[in-house]
Amino acid sequence: MADDFDPAIRARQLRDFIRHHDYRYYVLDDPEISDADYDALFRELAAIEASHPELDDSASPTKRVGGAPAEGFVSRPHRQRMYSLDNAMSREEWEAFLERARNALARQGGKLPGTFFVDPKFDGLALEVIYENGRFVAALTRGDGVTGEDVTENLRTVRNLPLSLTPHAAAAGLPVPRLLEVRGEVVITRQHFYELNEARRAAGEKIFANPRNAAAGSVRQLDPKVTAARPLRFFAYATGAVDSPDSGPPWTTHAAMMRALGLYGFSVARQGRTCRTSEVYPFFQELGKMRLDLPFEIDGAVVKCDDLAVQAELGFTDRAPRFAVALKFPAHEAETILRKIEVQVGRTRVITPVAILEPVSLAGVTVSRATLHNEDEIAAKDLREGDTVVVRRAGDVIPEVVRAIEEKRPPEGRRPYIFPPDCPSCHTPSVRLPGEAARRCVNPDCPGVRLRGIVYFVSKAGLDIEGVGGRWIEILVDRGLLRSPADLFTLTREQLLELPRMKETLASKFVASIAKARDTATLERCIAALGIPLVGSRTARTLAGRYRDLGALSEAGEEELTELSDIGPEVARSIREFFTTPENQELLNRFREIGLWPRGEPKKATTQAGHLAGKRFLFTGELPGMPRHEAQALLEAAGGIVVSAVSKKLDYLVAGDKPGSKLQKARDLGVTVIGPGEFVDLLRPRRGGNVSVQASLF
Ligand code: IVH
């Protein structure tokens, strides 16, 4: 066999295999082989190329790792100008666009056909990629539309960009054009954006303000190896010049062109579709609803006349096509003034900063507060009180401050923000433990911590006591009537009636719902309501399934606790710490006295069946399009166990959008971290092969 070995033939074969598998994996999202098998093909090809330099080929998949750094970017003209798009911000503006197109065609004796192609408007970096005789030869940024920057070597590293057009097109009767210019957008998933920023933050580098900047910053890198390390994707949405063997493009509608681009090997938005005129606006609204569930940022829909002859008839203004328009979603980013940074202490003693903003409308909601995470986050963004800032609502309902607009600071500057060293409630010095981003109040008697603890106790996450709201609790704590959750159960109507604006009926209801909660609370709820750090509803259920009552739980040792299916050492320690605190022991005594002492139903540990039996999972961040409880239910159905903290015993950390500190911790401990797509893939029974799939809804 060694005698028959022809490196040129084998290299060609391997390149074809790898191209095919890249296409299956990155474009179709449907891999056929395992990562290990893929790696073996890749290594074999790399070895052949290394020992046979004469086989060098710029379209080889091995070229995706990034070549030598460039000195600077070279400007090049576009063959055809890359136009911008006019925006329509409302239904009226969409109708005005239609009217203009109708009139323009009427002047030429024509009529506007009722078919449009509508696809998501990507919020990334617009580019043109150029193919000659089926091979990728160049990539240019949009630039000013007339000339762009040559980013060829950087685009070569983008995994879903075909380096040579796939043979699927030929099979469908499509010729390989002598020249094919494809326009599209380079994007980065929100998930990867957060991960990238987390890594940059940890390395003390400047963070990207949004996924668009991250994508643009990653493409505009002089060192293609840096680009190669970023998980960028290219989505095609239009063509520039096309020169086919039989002259013009082999398609006559935008929809047919998009199908052809798919067949040539490009990723195109799966949501793109043709619409009748009356369907366009409802479809745009539908995309708006999907928006936050998509892995990539989109900021609207682009509507194009489907018939390319009509596109040509309508032509362009100086700036934009007359045959296309961008329907934009209401902005979810806005500028406003950061009036003040307030700090709050929570039930877990963590002191969190909150931005108090000049109210501003964001995606239809008025926002006047936003989370600032912690001290380091404020420092990294260099936010200062009085600054003009950009706020946004991302995959989340909680708005956040993205950055300060430094140019809008007064020339004399503003004082950098200094995080207060004391607890905002009790004014004792707060403490920051090594390795933690959070400051904590360590005063065991802090009224702020008490208040938040009691509010949590009555909340939906706790005993869910109807009609007992945070405002009343605040008043009761202020007046010294409530010091611990146990005090709720001894409150009398008379005491309540002394509060300002407290009515007879409300006081009676108040007392009745507290009594009802005492009589109906389950052990699980009671444990959850204690607000033990790291113990959520899930762990509370496990504990209630194992211990007779709060007394038995309070005596459990750390080792015994870690034997439970979803409890790691950290959680066990936290539980132990909670119950050994004299104050909490006192709380339990009082619960017993007042009759809040539910019994559990200890169960034997069950052995789970299913292809993930016994595997331990933990979630961090949001899974796009899948509520957490649903993910847990699916996982449990497959035999998996959801644990509550990161430990070495964890099999998988599932990191969604905006992952928390668990991500870093899992990495530190060498725990396998998977994305939402891989998680969904794991839920499916194995076909064999350890295949990992990219999360992609496009
Ligand atoms: S079509 C002649 N489709 O948005 C029409 N453009 O803000 C060519 N963009 O310059 C553009 N998503 O770079 C088209 N699905 C999409 C798009 C899209 C994003 C970009 C495009 C344009 C910019 C205007």
Side-chain angles (χ1 to χ4, degrees), residues 9-19 40-42 44-46 48 61:
I9 292 177
R10 182 61 181 160
R12 211 168 93 194
Q13 198 179 35
L14 285 166
R15 285 169 186 159
D16 284 346
F17 284 159
I18 294 170
R19 254 172 229 141
L41 295 176
F42 202 92
E44 189 186 343
L45 175 60
I48 297 177

Side-chain angles (χ1 to χ4, degrees), residues 338 342 353-357 367-373 391-392 398-402:
L338 172 60
E342 261 182 26
V354 178
I356 308 300
L357 306 164
V367 170
S368 52
R369 297 162 76 83
T371 163
L372 289 172
H373 306 289
V391 285
R392 78 198 241 120
I398 306 168
E400 65 167 352
V401 176
V402 184

Side-chain angles (χ1 to χ4, degrees), residues 483-682:
R483 284 180 50 82
S484 99
D487 296 336
L488 282 166
F489 300 90
T490 52
L491 277 177
T492 61
R493 270 184 84 238
E494 291 66 36
Q495 282 175 315
L496 290 169
L497 283 170
E498 279 173 26
L499 306 178
R501 285 197 298 279
M502 176 59 84
K503 303 270 162 35
E504 292 258 351
T505 40
L506 186 56
S508 307
K509 239 176 97 185
F510 215 102
V511 174
S513 33
I514 293 171
K516 184 173 160 215
R518 180 194 58 211
D519 299 337
T520 57
T522 58
L523 180 56
E524 179 184 329
R525 272 202 178 280
C526 237
I527 297 171
L530 292 173
I532 306 170
L534 304 179
V535 175
S537 62
R538 176 75 225 169
T539 313
R541 192 185 318 162
T542 307
L543 294 170
R546 168 69 178 75
Y547 294 97
R548 196 174 61 247
D549 55 25
L550 289 176
L553 171 60
S554 73
E555 283 159 17
E558 266 179 58
E559 209 162 301
E560 177 185 315
L561 287 165
T562 42
E563 279 164 19
L564 290 174
S565 61
D566 60 353
I567 294 181
E570 248 192 290
V571 182
R573 196 170 322 120
S574 173
I575 297 172
R576 210 46 225 139
E577 236 171 67
F578 182 89
F579 287 110
T580 44
T581 309
E583 206 184 337
N584 292 330
Q585 285 172 349
E586 171 58 24
L587 182 66
L588 290 206
N589 288 339
R590 294 208 38 214
F591 279 167
R592 198 198 287 260
E593 274 165 31
I594 57 185
L596 178 64
W597 203 252
R599 295 274 167 172
E601 288 167 23
K603 290 187 277 284
K604 285 227 179 73
T606 49
T607 26
Q608 290 271 25
H611 70 286
L612 297 177
K615 290 275 182 251
R616 291 156 170 261
F617 286 77
L618 179 61
F619 297 93
T620 180
E622 285 182 34
L623 302 180
M626 192 190 284
R628 182 73 65 87
H629 65 88
E630 218 169 84
Q632 292 196 353
L634 287 169
L635 185 57
E636 283 168 0
I641 300 165
V642 183
V643 304
S644 50
V646 181
S647 76
K648 277 205 179 123
K649 280 199 276 175
L650 185 63
D651 292 294
Y652 296 98
L653 179 78
V654 185
D657 279 353
K658 291 202 173 183
S661 57
K662 289 174 192 162
L663 182 61
Q664 193 50 47
K665 197 165 218 178
R667 290 200 177 128
D668 292 346
L669 292 175
V671 169
T672 307
V673 177
I674 59 174
E678 289 165 302
F679 172 64
V680 172
D681 190 50
L682 269 182

Side-chain angles (χ1 to χ4, degrees), residues 80-140:
Q80 290 181 4
R81 179 165 164 191
M82 280 182 85
Y83 284 88
S84 180
L85 285 169
D86 282 335
N87 292 332
M89 309 300 292
S90 62
R91 192 188 275 270
E92 290 70 40
E93 291 185 15
W94 154 240
E95 277 158 8
F97 161 82
L98 281 176
E99 199 50 34
R100 280 196 304 276
R102 272 191 205 113
N103 292 340
L105 287 170
R107 278 196 293 276
Q108 303 169 40
K111 196 167 170 296
L112 180 69
T115 311
F116 295 88
F117 190 86
V118 186
D119 62 356
K121 183 172 187 308
F122 293 99
D123 200 8
L125 178 71
L127 285 166
E128 175 167 79
V129 288
I130 305 172
Y131 292 75
E132 284 172 10
N133 299 314
R135 288 164 61 93
F136 169 69
V137 293
L140 301 181

Side-chain angles (χ1 to χ4, degrees), residues 344-378:
Q344 299 174 336
V345 62
R347 81 186 152 86
T348 59
R349 310 192 161 275
V350 172
I351 297 171
T352 34
V354 178
I356 308 300
L357 306 164
E358 195 74 46
V360 61
S361 172
L362 256 194
V365 181
T366 302
V367 170
S368 52
R369 297 162 76 83
T371 163
L372 289 172
H373 306 289
N374 55 49
E375 186 177 2
D376 291 353
E377 187 85 15
I378 301 174

